[in-house]
Amino acid sequence: MSVQTREAPPRGKVSVRPAGSGGSAPGGGRGTGKGTLPYLLLLPALGLTAVLLGWPLVTNGMLSFQNLNMTQLIQHVTEWNGFANYTDTLTSDTFWRVTLRSVIFTVVNVVVIIVVGTLVGLLLARLGPKMRLLLSVGLVLAWAMPPIAGTTVYQWLFAQRFGVVNWVLAKIGFTSMADYNWTGSQLSTFFVVSLLIVWTSVPFVAINLYAATTTISRELYEAAALDGAGAWQSFKSVTFPFLKPFLMVATFLEVIWIFKAFPQVFAINEGGPDRLTETLPVYAFVEGVGNQHYGAGAAISVLTILILLALMSYYLRLVLRQEAEDDEAGESTTDRKKGERA
């Protein structure tokens, strides 16, 4: 029986030490450095967020507990009044009417934006390359237009005497609309504002949903067609499950953007006529800056944030639940593939 001897490693080569025999073990200093590196990289962004977003929120919150009018502002006097601004606001019928108006305004616009944006996104997926490029350019231009510039265009389109809309309506037979004042009533003003907001918001939803459709395999549509599924059945069984996470995120963002929309509502008619089209952001501005009740305006803005968080809490749970389900589905698929390979 021969005994085999282990040869010494040649010079210039490094022998591998087992874990625990010295050196840097897994989870040691290097592992800790790698674990903290992402947080260190996030520190600059977190610091800027705290300065640019956190400090104004703290300042606004402190201002909401003060009685600050033009007199105190000129005299540089800080007059604390506790929860008086919140009490006055919450006991005001006007505040609750504006809150209900803001919620209805947000719901209507978000529903229209999501429906129209989904249809346009599906249309982009169906068009040829040239028409898709042309429509995409138009969507991007509408999306990129600044809010005040878009508002100016719509003010010109819906002007009472020289507006293009009234001129077209009069030419096609609606002569009573020749001098119609679109900002003279609550519903017509909201119609113009909503049309402007939908026009500038649909491109975001449409382009994102079109990008989502490019991830759907054509084999799924072919399999659905072989099973006898029509266009609507293919949409329900193939397209919609893939688009659902994108729709939830888009709806989440649109609710935030529409609820806090200020330039479009204020620039069209400054919340008129007779303050009947004021939403919560416009109401806070008019009470705070317009009426020089800065403490009351700050309190209204804080309440606006809290109302928005309350409205979004249920929907945020749905988004997080959807993400958890997607992660579980992905992990189960990975485990199944590993089992098949084994």
Side-chain angles (χ1 to χ4, degrees):
M1 181 175 180
S2 60
V3 179
Q4 295 180 353
T5 59
R6 181 178 298 176
E7 297 179 356
R11 291 184 179 180
K13 294 187 178 180
V14 181
S15 59
V16 180
R17 296 181 181 180
S21 62
S24 60
R30 291 185 181 179
T32 305
K34 291 182 180 179
T36 57
L37 180 60
Y39 298 99
L40 292 176
L41 295 176
L42 284 174
L43 281 179
L46 294 176
L48 288 175
T49 302
V51 172
L52 300 177
L53 183 62
W55 177 247
L57 286 175
V58 172
T59 305
N60 187 74
M62 296 174 60
L63 185 62
S64 66
F65 294 101
Q66 300 177 23
N67 179 26
L68 182 60
N69 298 324
M70 187 57 66
T71 302
Q72 290 83 0
L73 189 64
I74 294 175
Q75 296 178 354
H76 300 282
V77 176
T78 301
E79 183 180 336
W80 300 93
N81 61 351
F83 291 92
N85 292 325
Y86 291 97
T87 303
D88 294 340
T89 300
L90 293 174
T91 55
S92 172
D93 295 336
T94 304
F95 172 77
W96 293 110
R97 283 198 301 269
V98 173
T99 300
L100 178 60
R101 185 186 305 148
S102 302
V103 172
I104 296 174
F105 174 76
T106 301
V107 170
V108 171
N109 279 277
V110 170
V111 169
V112 175
I113 289 169
I114 295 300
V115 172
V116 177
T118 302
L119 294 177
V120 176
L122 296 175
L123 177 63
L124 284 171
R126 296 275 184 172
L127 292 176
K130 294 182 179 179
M131 291 300 299
R132 183 186 302 128
L133 177 62
L134 183 63
L135 181 56
S136 299
V137 170
L139 290 172
V140 170
L141 291 176
W143 188 18
M145 180 171 289
I148 297 300
T151 303
T152 303
V153 172
Y154 269 72
Q155 285 176 329
W156 172 68
L157 289 174
F158 289 92
Q160 181 176 1
R161 295 190 60 187
F162 304 105
V164 176
V165 174
N166 287 352
W167 179 81
V168 172
L169 291 175
K171 286 294 182 181
I172 62 177
F174 297 94
T175 54
S176 60
M177 301 294 294
D179 293 322
Y180 183 74
N181 184 12
W182 289 93
T183 58
S185 66
Q186 183 183 33
L187 290 179
S188 60
T189 303
F190 267 131
F191 173 78
V192 176
V193 174
S194 299
L195 194 62
L196 170 61
I197 290 178
V198 170
W199 177 68
T200 56
S201 301
V202 161
F204 171 79
V205 178
I207 293 174
N208 278 278
L209 290 185
Y210 165 67
T213 59
T214 59
T215 64
I216 305 176
S217 175
R218 293 298 171 189
E219 296 176 356
L220 298 177
Y221 289 106
E222 294 175 0
L226 291 176
D227 292 338
W232 175 246
Q233 293 175 334
S234 296
F235 175 79
K236 286 198 307 181
S237 60
V238 178
T239 307
F240 183 73
F242 278 89
L243 298 184
K244 186 177 178 180
F246 295 89
L247 284 171
M248 294 185 72
V249 173
T251 305
F252 181 82
L253 294 175
E254 289 297 337
V255 168
I256 297 174
W257 291 337
I258 302 304
F259 192 82
K260 68 181 186 64
F262 173 80
Q264 299 90 337
V265 182
F266 185 79
I268 285 292
N269 200 21
E270 299 183 358
D274 299 326
R275 305 185 65 175
L276 292 176
T277 58
E278 285 183 355
T279 55
L280 280 174
V282 178
Y283 179 62
F285 177 82
V286 171
E287 289 294 325
V289 179
N291 295 335
Q292 299 179 358
H293 298 157
Y294 302 106
I300 295 171
S301 64
V302 172
L303 291 173
T304 300
I305 297 174
L306 295 178
I307 292 172
L308 181 59
L309 291 176
L311 292 175
M312 297 304 299
S313 59
Y314 174 74
Y315 191 78
L316 182 60
R317 288 200 299 269
L318 292 180
V319 172
L320 295 176
R321 187 184 306 168
Q322 179 67 32
E323 291 182 355
E325 292 176 357
D326 293 341
D327 292 340
E328 292 177 359
E331 291 177 359
S332 62
T333 303
T334 303
D335 295 339
R336 186 174 65 253
K337 289 182 179 179
K338 289 181 178 179
E340 292 175 354
R341 291 177 181 174

